[in-house]
Amino acid sequence: TESTCYSGLYVGRVVAQYKDQYKVVTEDGELAAEISGKLRFEAENLSDFPAVGDFVMLDRNEDTGGNAIIHHVLARKSAFIRKAAGTSNEQQVVASNIDTVFICMSVNSDFNLRRVERYLGIAWDSGAVPVIVLTKADLCGSDLPRKLLEIEKLACGVDVLVTSSLSEDGYEPVRKYLGRGRTVAFIG
């Protein structure tokens, strides 16, 4: 069974990566980690290595000196993937296990429908749910309704939030997407 497969190991979540080193958070705190030789040997692709957001199984859950060892990467529910650097066609996971991705774009002179379209494709391909956040609404003036209509035509079924940092509660529309046990990312 799965529980015996991971007997003696602890769950953690990768929060940062620095070349071959990882920062992992467990229920007991943060610790430095590296992958086991077996995991490195068995990895067939770059995407088999841990990425930010991955849940992993470690040999310990406390920082007792030295690096913890990552033995397994648990199944991902979503993954942002890009072509790895270099000439190979290998894919690299940039981030994983994201529930909601906020696609942020100013509605002033930076407004660009093609960019939103590209980000929507990336978000849907990842398995995360996209939400469009239009910022700087205070700078858009009377053009806002037209731009909202253009976005809604392009992003049918996607929530669109309008925000402004000039009001104290300008971030309020985003709050309903945040909560315990939810992972969000911002792009744009």
Side-chain angles (χ1 to χ4, degrees):
T1 67
E2 192 168 292
S3 61
T4 56
C5 179
Y6 300 131
S7 179
L9 298 178
Y10 302 90
V11 70
R13 190 160 195 200
V14 177
V15 294
Q17 178 183 2
Y18 315 97
K19 297 194 180 199
D20 294 335
Q21 300 288 309
Y22 299 87
K23 186 185 294 184
V24 179
V25 172
T26 70
E27 62 184 20
D28 294 321
E30 271 185 18
L31 58 150
E34 61 187 80
I35 61 173
S36 70
K38 181 179 180 187
L39 181 57
R40 182 180 310 279
F41 178 76
E42 291 177 349
E44 295 178 11
N45 303 300
L46 275 178
S47 60
D48 295 333
F49 287 91
V52 171
D54 275 337
F55 291 97
V56 295
M57 299 306 297
L58 305 156
D59 65 349
R60 66 176 188 266
N61 62 346
E62 297 174 339
D63 191 359
T64 57
N67 290 339
I69 304 298
I70 299 171
H71 292 275
H72 302 283
V73 177
L74 300 179
R76 298 170 174 135
K77 70 177 177 180
S78 67
F80 283 83
I81 297 172
R82 71 173 179 199
K83 184 179 178 285
T87 57
S88 74
N89 285 327
E90 213 170 344
Q91 294 183 329
Q92 176 184 15
V93 177
V94 177
S96 66
N97 297 310
I98 308 261
D99 297 302
T100 304
V101 61
F102 293 103
I103 299 169
C104 303
M105 185 175 63
S106 168
V107 288
N108 65 356
S109 60
D110 194 40
F111 187 76
N112 184 313
L113 287 173
R114 298 296 69 94
R115 186 178 323 125
V116 171
E117 191 172 44
R118 283 191 309 273
Y119 285 150
L120 280 170
I122 292 166
W124 285 125
D125 285 347
S126 78
V129 176
V131 174
I132 297 171
V133 179
L134 299 176
T135 64
K136 301 182 182 178
D138 51 284
L139 299 178
C140 189
S142 62
D143 207 22
L144 183 60
R146 180 187 62 79
K147 289 180 178 180
L148 277 171
L149 187 60
E150 289 175 349
I151 287 280
E152 288 168 0
K153 284 180 185 175
L154 176 74
C156 187
V158 174
D159 290 351
V160 179
L161 311 177
V162 178
T163 65
S164 170
S165 62
L166 287 185
S167 63
E168 279 188 39
D169 62 347
Y171 64 91
E172 199 60 41
V174 174
R175 286 190 94 150
K176 76 176 193 176
Y177 299 91
L178 309 177
R180 188 173 186 85
R182 304 221 11 102
T183 302
V184 300
F186 291 83
I187 60 175

